[in-house]
Amino acid sequence: RSTTTSASSSSSSSERIPTLSMDSLDAVIFDMDGTILDTAEELCDAIAVARNTMLPSQAPIDGKSVLHDYPNLFGGTLEEFHETLIPADLLDFDRFVELFLAAVKASAPSPAFADVIGGLASLRARYPSLKMGVATTKPTVAAEKDLSSSAVPATLRSMFGFVQGTDKEKNMQAKPAPDVILAAAAGLKCGDMSKTIYVGDTRRDAEAAKAAGCALSVL
């Protein structure tokens, strides 16, 4: 089965990300939020809490409003939500992150999508030598915690040979920069990015895959 992988439907053929058959793949690297885990409600609610707390004199918003009104920000960073939702004269990113993380900690863990475990198990059974990993915008520590939470099957984390988050202390740039995908590929010991596919759900995932030189599967 081939995977058509263009970052844009209007891209010329010379700009398209490589197209691969599954038999030629060395590795599959997955985005986490919105691809493996159904985290949209958790993240949007936490962003709304952070915004509402910082702007008590303004009408509150809820997580559904965040999801509906700012779809282009998903797959990006907290900095982008902060700069979009908070007026310039009230910007305080450290406070926004503190409030966001507190809201996430207070929320119930997010579950995996219903077909994830079965799909990963089928992939492993059919292609036993295929390397599988995760590359996510969240920090690695947070990603490891989410993939091992009580809300997901106990076998989920063991499906992946390497989990890489976007770690600021390593000077990693968030997607659409390719840093996290390249780091995950290095962790999986992928020797050829043209034989690696990235599975994601946002425009930033597509742009990051293209920048990394790997194929893309958009969910």
Side-chain angles (χ1 to χ4, degrees), residues 17-185:
I17 305 170
T19 299
L20 296 173
S21 69
M22 286 299 298
D23 292 323
S24 69
L25 283 179
D26 179 36
V28 178
I29 300 174
F30 296 85
D31 170 50
M32 188 178 74
D33 294 323
T35 300
I36 296 169
L37 301 183
D38 187 4
T39 56
E41 182 176 348
E42 171 194 337
L43 297 179
C44 290
D45 286 347
I47 288 167
V49 167
R51 180 266 184 197
N52 293 340
T53 304
M54 290 184 68
L55 303 177
S57 64
Q58 295 191 17
I61 62 173
D62 58 18
K64 291 180 180 179
S65 297
V66 174
L67 183 62
H68 180 268
D69 294 340
Y70 306 100
N72 290 336
L73 295 181
F74 286 89
T77 64
L78 275 180
E79 286 96 331
E80 292 170 303
F81 278 103
H82 172 245
E83 292 171 1
T84 300
L85 293 172
I86 307 299
D89 60 332
L90 296 175
L91 290 177
D92 183 346
F93 183 61
D94 290 341
R95 177 63 172 154
F96 189 82
V97 171
E98 177 186 357
L99 293 166
F100 171 82
L101 291 177
V104 168
K105 186 176 181 179
S107 66
S110 296
F113 286 106
D115 55 352
V116 162
I117 290 294
L120 292 172
S122 296
L123 198 60
R124 171 66 67 224
R126 187 170 181 181
Y127 306 99
S129 64
L130 186 67
K131 302 166 186 172
M132 295 197 293
V134 171
T136 175
T137 301
K138 281 183 176 175
T140 301
V141 171
E144 290 280 13
K145 181 180 178 181
D146 287 352
L147 290 170
S148 304
S149 81
S150 59
V152 303
T155 56
L156 179 61
R157 175 60 184 88
S158 66
M159 297 282 189
F160 305 111
F162 196 79
V163 173
Q164 180 66 60
T166 304
D167 297 325
K168 283 190 172 183
E169 64 271 19
K170 296 180 181 178
N171 296 317
M172 297 176 69
Q173 298 297 309
K175 295 178 287 187
D179 300 23
V180 69
I181 298 176
L182 294 174

